[in-house]
Amino acid sequence: MSTSDRQDADQKYLQQRQLKRGAAGWILLAGLGVAYVISGDFAGWNLGLAEGGWGGLLIAFVLMGIMYTCMVFGLAELSSTLPAAGAGYGFARRALGPLGGFATGMAVLIEYAVAPAAIAIFIGGYVEALGLFGLTNSWPVYLVAYAIFVGIHLRGVGEALRLIFGITAIAVVALVAVVIGLIPHFSVGNLFDIVPDGSPASSAFLPMGISGVVAALVYGIWFFLAIEGVPLAAEETADPKRDMPRGIIAAMLILVVFGALMLVLVPGAAGSEAMSTSDNPLPEALRLAYGGNSILAEFVNYAGLAGLIASFFSIIYAYSRQLFALSRAGYLPRWLSLTGKRRTPYWSLIVPGTIGFILAAATGNGGLLINIAVFGATVSYVLLNLSHIVLRKKEPDLPRGYRTPGGVLTTSVALALAAVAVIATFVVDVLAASITAGIFGAALLYYWFYSRHRIVTGAPEEEFARLAAAEAELKK
């Protein structure tokens, strides 16, 4: 095939795999970032109270908050420098080469494919708690949730992002209502009502000792999990060099504030012991604080469902864009990246959605799926922070729309904490971490023996890497 024929073939290939540009500004991006994570304020984080007590979860929250904040600053720089749908995979591809890029992309994909399944289980729990439809088994809820929200994404990204923003706004109002409702009932003593278990260094503050802090790290992550997905919208953003840093940093600030308020006020009003096993901690805290049901508790229960839906809905967007980018570049089967008339990657939406529904229906275990998602996430965090450090060293003159405060020192802090978090996933759930490590290892074997020979050189992330190599050659 001649050079011109090859270029024509590449152009036709990419025309069948185009996303809708200019669909989001920084405010929608900030809303997307909050939507990814906001379900973590409504359910899941409180399970960390059973692992480390309030003090252990507080330390975990602070450590993981530092990790995410430092990483977000690095991602703000990377996304303004290399704005492509591949996001984390694209950053690592440029910094660490094809294998590093694929490994990062797969870790992110595992996180985003599994997290909606866990959230679907929590949605089912909220629906059952509300007594809706007389359900005693939640699998129909999982099916309907996936069908509706994958369907909305298939209609178009602009419509999906605006709806996500609206649902997220309802959830934010609910969190504000929880804060106002629980402040009068806050008592410091409620935070420390878990009896110490006698572990080394155990106390009222750390009832499970130092080991409890390590075990709680996974649940500290749940307050922020998936914020790193904002750069996946780069190709659909009006001005990624300006909008990406603004959007992701604004989202992170909002999440830190709400996470801290929930961590203090919910167990502070209802007791850490009671909240440590709750499936819907916010409305339950209001019921315990007010001595029974109330209009406020009912509102938060319904709005909590909106928060879970916001994260479920938005992470569907994230997994589709990560899968789309890996497929478009040839790392995964190319048919997965085909887009329709509305410029939506339909197979990238449908295939992981089907897998997620099967996981939710087969396991019904949100905790197990959280741990699987967190393992994928922490592996990707190690590689993302390493990518920022390597790119700063390898390409210091690369034009950057934003520069990370503190430079590589900031992302080095995030890298160290991410490595600790990877280890913590094995402490909390060896089975979940081992299953995920096995899937990750199988994916790397697939890359090594098959897909690395089928990479599409014209894909944006590969083009970035090719231009970098050419520039380096010219400088010799």
Side-chain angles (χ1 to χ4, degrees), residues 107-128:
V108 172
L109 188 57
I110 290 169
E111 171 194 356
Y112 289 157
V114 175
I119 297 169
I121 291 170
F122 293 137
I123 291 173
Y126 263 68
V127 169
E128 286 191 42

Side-chain angles (χ1 to χ4, degrees), residues 17 26 50 63 65 79 95 226 241 260 290 300 318 328 336 357 375 451 470:
R17 293 161 172 82
W26 78 268
L63 290 175
S79 60
K241 287 188 179 295
Y290 285 88
V300 171
R328 181 177 60 180
L336 289 167
F357 165 70
F375 180 85
S451 71

Side-chain angles (χ1 to χ4, degrees), residues 237-324:
T237 301
D239 183 358
K241 287 188 179 295
R242 184 193 67 173
D243 292 339
M244 274 294 164
R246 289 183 180 183
I248 194 170
I249 292 171
M252 186 64 199
L253 291 173
I254 293 168
L255 292 167
V256 167
V257 171
F258 277 121
L261 288 170
M262 294 305 106
L263 176 60
V264 172
L265 291 176
V266 173
S272 292
E273 179 69 38
M275 292 297 95
S276 66
T277 56
S278 176
D279 289 331
N280 51 349
L282 273 56
E284 188 172 329
L286 288 165
R287 292 187 184 103
L288 289 171
Y290 285 88
N293 209 354
S294 65
I295 294 174
L296 179 57
E298 283 296 299
F299 166 71
V300 171
N301 211 344
Y302 280 97
L305 189 56
L308 292 169
I309 288 170
S311 290
F312 178 80
F313 191 14
S314 56
I315 298 176
I316 287 173
Y317 171 85
Y319 76 53
S320 69
R321 270 46 182 185
Q322 186 63 85
L323 180 55
F324 165 81

Side-chain angles (χ1 to χ4, degrees), residues 49-68:
L49 295 168
E51 298 289 343
W54 188 80
L57 186 56
L58 172 65
I59 295 171
F61 174 83
V62 171
L63 290 175
M64 294 300 95
I66 292 170
M67 180 190 77
Y68 273 94

Side-chain angles (χ1 to χ4, degrees), residues 107-151:
V108 172
L109 188 57
I110 290 169
E111 171 194 356
Y112 289 157
V114 175
I119 297 169
I121 291 170
F122 293 137
I123 291 173
Y126 263 68
V127 169
E128 286 191 42
L130 289 167
L132 299 177
F133 314 116
L135 291 173
T136 56
N137 190 309
S138 293
W139 75 261
V141 177
Y142 314 154
L143 180 61
V144 170
Y146 271 106
I148 290 175
F149 294 110
V150 167

Side-chain angles (χ1 to χ4, degrees), residues 15-342:
Q15 282 175 347
Q16 296 173 321
R17 293 161 172 82
Q18 290 183 358
L19 300 174
K20 185 178 179 181
R21 298 186 180 275
W26 78 268
I27 293 177
L28 274 181
L29 291 174
L32 179 64
V34 174
Y36 281 146
V37 187
I38 199 166
S39 67
D41 287 323
F42 284 92
W45 64 268
N46 55 300
L47 303 179
L49 295 168
E51 298 289 343
W54 188 80
L57 186 56
L58 172 65
I59 295 171
F61 174 83
V62 171
L63 290 175
M64 294 300 95
I66 292 170
M67 180 190 77
Y68 273 94
T69 301
C70 291
M71 182 174 70
V72 158
F73 282 128
L75 289 175
E77 176 179 316
L78 290 169
S79 60
S80 71
T81 306
L82 302 169
Y89 135 67
F91 309 150
R93 170 68 183 89
R94 180 72 172 254
L96 308 175
L99 178 58
F102 177 78
T104 304
M106 282 306 303
V108 172
L109 188 57
I110 290 169
E111 171 194 356
Y112 289 157
V114 175
I119 297 169
I121 291 170
F122 293 137
I123 291 173
Y126 263 68
V127 169
E128 286 191 42
L130 289 167
L132 299 177
F133 314 116
L135 291 173
T136 56
N137 190 309
S138 293
W139 75 261
V141 177
Y142 314 154
L143 180 61
V144 170
Y146 271 106
I148 290 175
F149 294 110
V150 167
I152 294 171
H153 277 295
L154 289 170
R155 274 196 64 80
V157 64
E159 295 87 343
L161 289 179
R162 285 189 287 272
L163 185 55
I164 287 170
F165 192 88
I167 296 172
T168 304
I170 295 171
V172 168
V173 170
L175 293 180
V176 172
V178 169
V179 171
I180 294 171
L182 291 182
I183 283 176
H185 300 274
F186 174 79
S187 171
V188 173
N190 288 335
L191 298 173
F192 308 113
D193 66 349
I194 295 178
V195 177
D197 67 358
S199 299
S202 64
S203 63
F205 182 71
L206 293 176
M208 291 77 175
I210 300 301
S211 62
V213 177
V214 177
L217 287 176
V218 169
Y219 301 96
I221 288 172
W222 196 241
F223 281 107
F224 310 105
L225 183 77
I227 180 67
E228 71 278 5
V230 174
L232 288 163
E235 288 186 31
E236 293 156 291
T237 301
D239 183 358
K241 287 188 179 295
R242 184 193 67 173
D243 292 339
M244 274 294 164
R246 289 183 180 183
I248 194 170
I249 292 171
M252 186 64 199
L253 291 173
I254 293 168
L255 292 167
V256 167
V257 171
F258 277 121
L261 288 170
M262 294 305 106
L263 176 60
V264 172
L265 291 176
V266 173
S272 292
E273 179 69 38
M275 292 297 95
S276 66
T277 56
S278 176
D279 289 331
N280 51 349
L282 273 56
E284 188 172 329
L286 288 165
R287 292 187 184 103
L288 289 171
Y290 285 88
N293 209 354
S294 65
I295 294 174
L296 179 57
E298 283 296 299
F299 166 71
V300 171
N301 211 344
Y302 280 97
L305 189 56
L308 292 169
I309 288 170
S311 290
F312 178 80
F313 191 14
S314 56
I315 298 176
I316 287 173
Y317 171 85
Y319 76 53
S320 69
R321 270 46 182 185
Q322 186 63 85
L323 180 55
F324 165 81
L326 287 167
S327 167
R328 181 177 60 180
Y331 290 95
L332 293 176
R334 297 179 186 183
W335 57 269
L336 289 167
S337 57
L338 288 169
T339 54
K341 293 180 180 179
R342 294 180 176 273

